[in-house]
Amino acid sequence: MTASNVSGQGTDSALFPTYARYPIALVKGEGSRLWDANGKCYLDFMSGLAVTNLGHAPKQVRDRLVEQLDTLWHVSNLFHIPQQEEAAKLLVKHSCADAVFFCNSGAEANEAAIKLARRYQNVIAGTGRTEIITFQQSFHGRTLATLTATGQDKVKDGFAPLPEGFRYAPFNDKDALLQAINHNTGAIMLEMIQAEGGVNLLDPAFAELIAQCCEEHGLLLIVDEVQTGMGRTGRWFAHEHYGLEPDIITSAKGLGSGFPVGAMLAKAKLREAFGPGSHGSTFGGTPLAMAAVIGTLLAHEEEELAKRADEMGQYLVQQLHAKIGAMSIVKEIRGLGLLIGIECHAPVAGMLAAAQAVGLLFVTAGPNVIRLLPNLKVTKEEIDEAIEVLVHVLESAEVTV
Ligand SMILES: Cc1ncc(COP(=O)(O)O)c(C=O)c1O
């Protein structure tokens, strides 16, 4: 590598320095393993940030993509796209939703959700109540509306003026939620686990209050399942753990197993809020993207991957408690399924680098939280291997704290 700037890219890079990149270039992936340009092998416990839920290059998705590549890549949404119907029917089958809109990313799915909620309240329900309550520490994306919805100042820095229509409440604080609801509130939007925000789990009693408030005040419930969906937490969607029935669900990341695709799912009463011309996307739901989605969803069905995530998640947490739970550096182990956070009493950036050096990849969730996101087909042996590395890096960190 040549001289590098703050992002870790060479100063001769033609890219924007938008990412603080690790000094590794990954060139090949298979299952839970990745290889860098020097042939070094890594055990992948980050899955491209909860994207490659089926592991790298899963055959079911690959075969469908290859077949579609040989047939038709793209047609405009001005035409019927049978693969979109098939993918949407599968999503409806595995959720409480009745209608699906396909887009290309998590932020776009949330953008669609915000637009749909506003349009429903303005045009269908006629209430004119358009303010959306979101939560501190949430993360909903990087477009102007979704970064405004996000409850973290760092993503908003320098981007004023921001769109109006959002109010922020502390997560899991019942009194604050009740105070935040006013005559202009139209929806509540949240993640079931604030993944980027620190692996913060929704409190079941708070979930119950949210459901009650939505019912009582005619509010729409928008659940951002971009990271928690697609089997990651041990259910198809994480809100199932809480017995919630959202009006709108957003999905992306694991939906295409690495092919970029997002989706917004909604209840039947919201269908008419988006008529022809009210929303759209050139690339949303192309035959190629739909091949990835159908392949992914069928693999989930065949292999019962949500159930597997539940079982492997339980094993992972049990082993973490047994092997690192008593260490003084470990504050808390929390999560659902295969979205696990290890909160430490010290910053974890050095531990991440130490793990990478010995071939284990994970991510952080804020300065003090290690976030584990293995693929849903991870084996017990791979979990044991990852924990061995974690024990080693946590022990070393304990000595230096
Ligand atoms: C909960 C949540 N919502 C939205 C997003 C944004 O998704 P994307 O990066 O695909 O736009 C993310 C990305 O990390 C996320 O975790």
Side-chain angles (χ1 to χ4, degrees), residues 73-241:
W73 296 14
H74 173 89
V75 283
S76 161
N77 274 305
L78 294 172
F79 296 92
H80 287 284
I81 300 177
Q83 296 93 334
Q84 250 184 57
E85 294 287 348
E86 189 182 344
K89 287 209 162 81
L90 283 167
L91 280 171
V92 164
K93 178 178 162 192
H94 292 291
S95 70
C96 61
D98 306 293
V100 180
F101 175 84
F102 284 107
C103 51
N104 309 289
S105 68
E108 268 185 69
N110 285 335
E111 191 82 25
I114 292 163
K115 285 179 71 178
L116 185 70
R118 285 186 179 182
R119 203 153 199 285
Y120 173 83
Q121 294 291 13
N122 280 328
V123 178
I124 306 290
T127 66
R129 288 161 49 165
T130 51
E131 195 169 84
I132 300 179
I133 295 177
T134 67
F135 294 93
Q136 288 166 10
Q137 300 311 316
S138 60
F139 184 78
H140 298 297
R142 301 278 188 173
T143 61
L144 271 179
T146 59
L147 74 81
T148 307
T150 294
Q152 300 187 53
D153 289 342
K154 66 180 183 195
V155 304
K156 305 179 192 192
D157 186 36
F159 294 120
L162 300 176
E164 292 173 2
F166 297 93
R167 182 179 292 264
Y168 313 94
F171 196 50
N172 286 333
D173 184 331
K174 287 183 175 183
D175 292 339
L177 175 64
L178 292 173
Q179 274 170 28
I181 295 172
N182 62 52
H183 64 281
N184 196 28
T185 310
I188 297 176
M189 178 172 181
L190 79 164
E191 301 154 89
M192 298 290 99
I193 301 178
Q194 295 183 326
E196 301 296 315
V199 191
N200 310 320
L201 273 77
L202 177 69
D203 177 351
F206 193 64
E208 214 171 290
L209 179 70
I210 286 175
Q212 269 170 25
C213 291
C214 287
E215 177 75 31
E216 215 167 288
H217 301 280
L219 313 181
L220 295 172
L221 176 58
I222 306 172
V223 175
D224 178 344
E225 296 262 11
V226 167
Q227 187 150 166
T228 52
M230 297 308 299
R232 169 66 48 197
T233 70
R235 301 280 189 278
W236 276 86
F237 294 100
H239 63 262
E240 295 166 37
H241 290 284

